Amino acid sequence: MEDHATEGGNNLPHNPQEEPGALAPDEEVISQQTVQFLDDSLLVLLTASDRLYISLPNLCAALTLNARGQLQRIQRTPGLVEGLRLLPARTRGGTQRLNCLWLEKLPAWLSGLHLRGTKQASRAKIKQYRDQGVTEITRLFYAAESPALPMLPIQGTLPFPATETVIESSIETMMTLDPTLTTLPTVTPDQQELRALMTQLPYIPTSESLVTTSYQEDRAIREATLARKVEWEEEPEFQRMRYIASNKLHVYFGDPDHPLELNEALERIRSLGESTILTARILLGLWNIRRCERQLAKDGSAAIRVDEILEWRGVQKHSRTYSLSEKRFSDGFQWKHKQQVFLDVKLLEHCYLRGHHTVIVRGRAQRFRINGPYLRVTSVEKVKTGEQSEIVGYFIAPGAWINTYEEHGNIFFAEIDRRVFQLNPQNDQLALRIALFLTEHWRQHARTGQYAHPMVMRDLLTASMIPIDTRHLTNRFVPRVEAALMKLLEQGVVGEVSLLTPIDKQKAHWGRDWLASEWRILPPSSLISRYLDSIQSELPEGRRRRTSY
């Protein structure tokens, strides 16, 4: 069902090059929704650059501001005019071009208003828009994009910067499917022992990288969490959903022997995404650090705090100032950020694997059957009052699938740059997906050192779980992919990005040549050196050698 704005045009010229804030040549509106925030109907547009823009006439009407005066103020303010666009929108009067403001500029715009003579009620409303607008409007937009997901309020209303992790509507879905996210069970005697172990955790600062598992099972889970939901299939003979990974491992959501109802399984599958796999990599990276520390582990599981996961994700703690003080004080991570962790861990806990994996035993490849959960998870709860409690951490371990690897000395760990964990799952989606694949790819070539072997672009995209947008291949998709690669290069996540087969972008249908082009994508030299040292240390002294790269 289409959304229609409740406003008309703003009678501005129709040549985008003649108007400040015009639609940039490489931008295109790909979706629009009308959301209800503080009883106001607001038109929100999503562009091809993955930015959300909000109708300026809507905003001014909601806040009883003069639209023309505010447009002029934005146009003469350097920090604001860069967020102004003239975008086409569907309205009751047809498609019209409206002045829209980049949503992330909303707090800066409202902070610059002169409120003398403004009624107290209007001031309070403007403050709500300034403090909560970015977070809530973003959430409402993406919830409206998936109308099948139920809408429930997210606890907590404190503001946080839009560049931090955005809480998706899938959290509300999981709260309805699994009430334990809001009402947790009472503490048992075993929990007291687990809590005591949790309090002994030392503070581990976020280093430049995290060494985490990189097995066949990890690849299958990455592909399943990032796959389009239509790529999950219903097994012909059973009422259960599965995803078949590229290595032929089958991923199920829920125990396949006791499958969830199809509707429930589909709702949970829709909740999977970039945040889920990032949490998985962090959990098993921290498990790898602590599993041999007797005081920090129990039955093979390692203790991990919720706030450690958020720190690795780069989420900032909320801070505030108190009266008569200019100093800011932190009051911890917001509840909505913790909810994202609860959701991710709950999803991972219900991922099951079936199939075979190959292990080298005494120099010969042997296949072992696997059938069980991806992770073993035990929640650790902190008692508050009465029967109410809050999850403060987890005891985490890989499923039994890892045993045959370790029993026969098949150890596969990959190093992931800290900056990968801090990529925005929405704004940096392509860069994030490519980076996660490359960490696995480089680990596979660590022993041979053949990092420079060319990769075909189509294969890179497929392995990174990036669907190819054939309808907008050359005008939108190619620039976005190349921009994602450049971002990884600029941030130092990759050491080199080179196109090996030049492409004539002046000829017709050059997109097919681009998909078939070969690229060389190298890891940073520091990572190559660390992998080389690690591999050399595993070899007998007589076999140690320098590998040519």
Side-chain angles (χ1 to χ4, degrees):
M1 183 176 66
E2 291 189 350
D3 294 284
H4 296 282
T6 57
E7 60 187 357
N10 47 16
N11 299 318
L12 291 174
H14 288 269
N15 184 352
Q17 301 304 322
E18 296 176 359
E19 182 67 23
L23 176 65
D26 59 343
E27 280 198 309
E28 175 185 356
V29 174
I30 59 177
S31 179
Q32 74 174 61
Q33 296 290 340
T34 300
V35 303
Q36 299 293 322
F37 177 61
L38 300 183
D39 297 325
D40 298 323
S41 295
L42 304 172
L43 176 64
V44 184
L45 307 171
L46 175 66
T47 67
S49 61
D50 291 327
R51 287 184 174 185
L52 290 180
Y53 287 86
I54 187 166
S55 163
L56 187 60
N58 266 175
L59 281 171
C60 291
L63 300 174
T64 62
L65 300 172
N66 182 279
R68 182 167 296 276
Q70 290 304 316
L71 173 61
Q72 294 173 350
R73 183 172 76 89
I74 292 172
Q75 289 174 335
R76 63 174 181 262
T77 306
L80 297 178
V81 69
E82 62 190 25
L84 187 65
R85 291 290 184 273
L86 192 62
L87 302 179
R90 299 186 306 273
T91 70
R92 290 176 181 173
T95 299
Q96 301 193 41
R97 296 165 68 237
L98 307 173
N99 276 304
C100 298
L101 185 66
W102 183 19
L103 188 56
E104 290 196 14
K105 296 292 184 182
L106 182 63
W109 170 57
L110 295 178
S111 297
L113 291 177
H114 297 291
L115 301 180
R116 283 185 187 176
T118 306
K119 295 182 179 179
Q120 185 64 34
S122 296
R123 290 190 180 189
K125 187 174 185 179
I126 289 172
K127 186 177 185 302
Q128 282 184 285
Y129 265 81
R130 184 193 66 199
D131 294 346
Q132 303 172 25
V134 174
T135 303
E136 288 302 304
I137 293 171
T138 298
R139 181 177 69 85
L140 290 167
F141 177 87
Y142 285 105
E145 286 280 277
S146 304
L149 301 180
M151 283 292 295
L152 293 176
I154 294 181
Q155 297 187 30
T157 58
L158 295 176
F160 69 96
T163 55
E164 295 182 7
T165 306
V166 176
I167 304 304
E168 302 171 352
S169 57
S170 53
I171 290 179
E172 291 86 43
T173 303
M174 286 298 295
M175 289 169 63
T176 60
L177 296 174
D178 193 337
T180 58
L181 289 180
T182 52
T183 305
L184 300 170
T186 56
V187 177
T188 63
D190 290 339
Q191 283 283 313
Q192 295 179 9
E193 179 184 357
L194 295 180
R195 282 204 319 278
L197 286 173
M198 190 67 66
T199 60
Q200 300 175 23
L201 290 184
Y203 174 74
I204 297 181
T206 51
S207 59
E208 292 301 314
S209 61
L210 188 63
V211 178
T212 188
T213 56
S214 187
Y215 292 89
Q216 299 166 50
E217 288 72 11
D218 296 300
R219 173 177 287 246
I221 292 298
R222 175 181 64 83
E223 293 180 0
T225 55
L226 299 180
R228 291 175 295 177
K229 307 320 165 196
V230 295
E231 295 175 319
W232 285 73
E233 62 180 30
E234 181 182 351
E235 281 189 317
E237 299 179 4
F238 305 96
Q239 295 292 307
R240 61 193 184 196
M241 300 298 295
R242 71 177 177 186
Y243 175 80
I244 303 178
S246 61
N247 53 21
K248 306 306 179 185
L249 286 175
H250 292 199
V251 181
Y252 295 84
F253 200 89
D255 187 345
D257 291 328
H258 303 91
L260 302 172
E261 293 291 334
L262 281 180
N263 289 338
E264 184 179 0
L266 287 170
E267 291 291 343
R268 298 195 180 199
I269 288 169
R270 290 191 188 99
S271 303
L272 297 169
E274 286 79 9
S275 178
T276 314
I277 191 60
L278 287 174
T279 298
R281 295 293 185 259
I282 293 171
L283 288 173
L284 290 178
L286 295 176
W287 166 81
N288 179 45
I289 293 174
R290 293 194 174 124
R291 58 177 171 155
C292 296
E293 299 287 339
R294 181 174 301 179
Q295 70 274 21
L296 306 178
K298 182 176 177 63
D299 299 326
S301 297
I304 299 168
R305 293 191 302 266
V306 171
D307 58 2
E308 290 181 287
I309 301 170
L310 293 171
E311 286 175 0
W312 273 97
R313 289 294 307 277
V315 177
Q316 299 298 313
K317 294 181 179 180
H318 179 261
S319 62
R320 64 174 67 194
T321 57
Y322 295 91
S323 58
L324 303 179
S325 174
E326 296 182 357
K327 186 177 179 180
R328 299 191 68 86
F329 298 88
S330 172
D331 49 12
F333 292 105
Q334 295 183 63
W335 175 252
K336 57 183 68 180
H337 291 153
K338 294 179 182 179
Q339 278 185 309
Q340 183 70 67
V341 175
F342 301 157
L343 168 63
D344 290 335
V345 176
K346 183 63 67 175
L347 291 169
L348 292 167
E349 184 180 8
H350 286 85
C351 285
Y352 275 66
L353 294 158
R354 276 188 175 177
H356 295 82
H357 63 209
T358 302
V359 176
I360 304 301
V361 181
R362 297 177 181 176
R364 300 183 61 181
Q366 291 190 19
R367 297 183 74 207
F368 291 84
R369 179 172 176 80
I370 59 170
N371 182 9
Y374 175 61
L375 287 182
R376 292 189 288 124
V377 179
T378 301
S379 301
V380 181
E381 302 148 12
K382 176 182 178 181
V383 177
K384 286 188 172 181
T385 56
E387 297 184 354
Q388 296 298 314
S389 57
E390 176 186 345
I391 295 177
V392 295
Y394 300 92
F395 275 79
I396 297 289
W401 54 265
I402 202 171
N403 293 340
T404 51
Y405 288 111
E406 297 198 331
E407 287 171 4
H408 300 287
N410 288 224
I411 309 300
F412 297 99
F413 285 83
E415 185 172 318
I416 302 182
D417 193 289
R418 175 174 57 90
R419 289 163 290 197
V420 173
F421 296 117
Q422 298 181 0
L423 290 170
N424 188 294
Q426 292 175 346
N427 298 337
D428 303 320
Q429 185 185 74
L430 300 187
L432 176 55
R433 291 186 175 214
I434 292 172
L436 288 172
F437 161 69
L438 288 175
T439 59
E440 297 175 0
H441 176 74
W442 291 333
R443 178 60 183 87
Q444 286 181 316
H445 291 281
R447 188 170 291 276
T448 63
Q450 295 179 351
Y451 302 108
H453 188 74
M455 284 187 284
V456 175
M457 177 55 69
R458 185 186 294 274
D459 296 339
L460 171 64
L461 296 173
T462 300
S464 301
M465 305 305 292
I466 297 176
I468 298 172
D469 184 359
T470 55
R471 292 182 59 190
H472 308 92
L473 182 60
T474 57
N475 66 335
R476 186 204 303 173
F477 184 71
V478 170
R480 292 178 66 189
V481 172
E482 293 183 350
L485 288 171
M486 289 304 103
K487 178 160 191 169
L488 294 177
L489 180 63
E490 292 167 0
Q491 292 194 353
V493 175
V494 303
E496 179 187 331
V497 177
S498 300
L499 173 61
L500 304 180
T501 51
I503 300 167
D504 182 4
K505 295 186 178 182
Q506 301 302 317
K507 77 173 190 178
H509 308 299
W510 60 266
R512 284 177 285 187
D513 294 338
W514 182 83
L515 289 173
S517 63
E518 292 188 340
W519 294 68
R520 180 172 60 232
I521 305 177
L522 299 181
S525 57
S526 57
L527 179 61
I528 293 176
S529 177
R530 286 193 293 273
Y531 272 155
L532 179 61
D533 291 342
S534 176
I535 296 299
Q536 293 295 309
S537 66
E538 297 173 6
L539 298 175
E541 185 173 353
R543 293 179 56 196
R544 294 179 186 177
R545 58 183 175 86
R546 296 299 298 180
T547 304
S548 174
Y549 293 94

